[in-house]
Amino acid sequence: MPTPPTDATAPRTPRLSRRGVLAAMAAVLPAAGLPALTSRAFAAPAAAALPGGGDLGPNVLVFDPATPDIQGRLDEIFHRQESAQFGSGRYQLLFKPGTYNGLNAQLGFYTSIAGLGLSPDDTAFNGDVTVDAGWFNGNATQNFWRSAENLALRPVNGTNRWAVAQAAPFRRMHVRGGLNLSPDGYGWASGGYIADSRIDGAVGPYSQQQWYTRDSSVGGWNNAVWNMVFSGVEGAPAQSFPDPPYTTLDTTPVSREKPFLYLDGADYRVFLPEKRTHARGTTWGNGTPRGSSLPLGQFYVAKPGVDAATLNAALAQGLHLLLTPGIYHLDRAIEVRRAHTVVLGLGYATLVPDNGVTALKVADVDGVRLAGFLMDAGPVNSATLLEVGPEGASASHADHPTTVQDVFIRIGGAGAGKATTSMVINSNHTIVDHTWVWRADHGDGVGWETNRADYGVRVNGDDVLATGLFVEHFNKYDVEWRGERGRTVFFQNEKAYDAPDQAAVQNGSTKGYAAYKIADAVTTHEGWGLGSYCFYNVDPTIRQDHGFEAPDKPGVKFHDLLVVSLGGKGQYEHVINGVGAATSGTSTVPSTVVSYP
């Protein structure tokens, strides 16, 4: 295994005196809804510090090449999770470095698989990591909430099948063969996202409607349906939108890969990849990736059942958070106030705010990393679910941006849930790298008012970058961008299916709320490869004036836009503002705009 990097550049946890710890606690406890510490309290014995590190809990399964019956354990979890779309099971499968022969790891809902090396090639499968859609009659459009990371695969038949939809990242993977993104039988598919991966053979999307690939290497790309976007991808097809609909950027403006767990000998550490500008290709192709690492002892290893007060106490103590698989109910916000804090989830750890609170708030500080967890709205309306930076945040974080990666938000589906605005980005220079923010259109607790959620993502900060933005079905604007110099590379949207009539979506004199709205005061913004679809199945007569709305200013630019009416259930009059042909009929042919203005 490569020699792990030193911690010379890692964010350090300050060593505080006993009085310093108490002073820090005194500052944070009132804001967390806990009693303030008085001066008398400083003379009393300090409460025991929360421990760092520890075991990863029962739903993290760790394998090595000598583990007996690995296939049996994998099959057991798959059978439990294959169709459990809104179930409570959560699992993380971890494989120690080495070679594993003859495995087929089929992944169901809320299941993440990952290698524990520093490079994908440290953990090699002579076998497959498979997602298919047999549970849904060959339709892969609901294969959500699963992930693969940090493994090398040599597929048994030469091609690995990864037939997923939204919220199913494929990160730091090396496929020594081809990659098939469609289900067996080439049924419908709606995904997806690849980053920091190398596919030696060709990628076959086949029925995939859209896809975003970032900072990777592919041996070829076979076809496109509506919207295929590439940034920083070696071997990507040339720019050709709309025929075929390839949007290709030579590099990604700014990227910083997701933190990941790995083994240094017998000890767990969390690797923190460094930021790259104008990135192209993988971070690990030349061996050890660049970055720093933290020992697990600097993390509070959270288990389901822990309360928000304890999580906030751990953060105030200077620990990072590792959320092990499970569901966490919160009676107050988790508050991240320290620069360079890491909050990392395993196995789709899920945060549920109770009583209308915000699930997680980040202060206006440098370099926070949020990654790998799901937020589920509670039955009492929350004003927001995730807030990155407080209202009015103004500091520059150009050198040390906050990253939000594989953080997914769900309103309804698993039960009634409500939130006025799901994700609010106030801090400047934040990078949102792969999110699916979803107001549910199926499952439990679904209805125009039952899971009311007016806004999906609102960006108030300046210089915010989104790479891989999936936002769907909100009652009003899916994305509302108010900050300057924002950029989005790839956007996928469906308008809310369940609008009861035209009046329900009327926006003053405008028919329908845009999927992606740039505020009138914004002077500079740019987007590449953005698509919006409508399927107004409750009232197919509903019409949208446009999918995209932006001020008519020289600095506001869009490349490769499309709108689609799915089966003629509702129609768009234009693509952006008054530009672009109307959709019509039932043929699901996109209306496109190559450049705006």
Side-chain angles (χ1 to χ4, degrees), residues 328-339:
Y328 297 75
H329 282 270
L330 307 172
D331 64 352
R332 66 198 71 184
I334 299 171
E335 299 206 39
V336 177
R337 299 186 171 195
R338 181 171 50 91

Side-chain angles (χ1 to χ4, degrees), residues 18-19 22 26 36-47:
R18 187 181 193 182
R19 181 172 293 275
L22 286 168
L37 290 174
T38 64
S39 58
R40 183 176 180 180
F42 287 102

Side-chain angles (χ1 to χ4, degrees), residues 362-365 388-390 393 395 397 402 425-430 461-462 464:
V362 179
D364 194 23
V365 296
V388 179
H397 305 292
T402 286
I425 307 296
N426 292 317
S427 285
N428 299 329
H429 301 99
T430 299
D462 294 336
V464 172

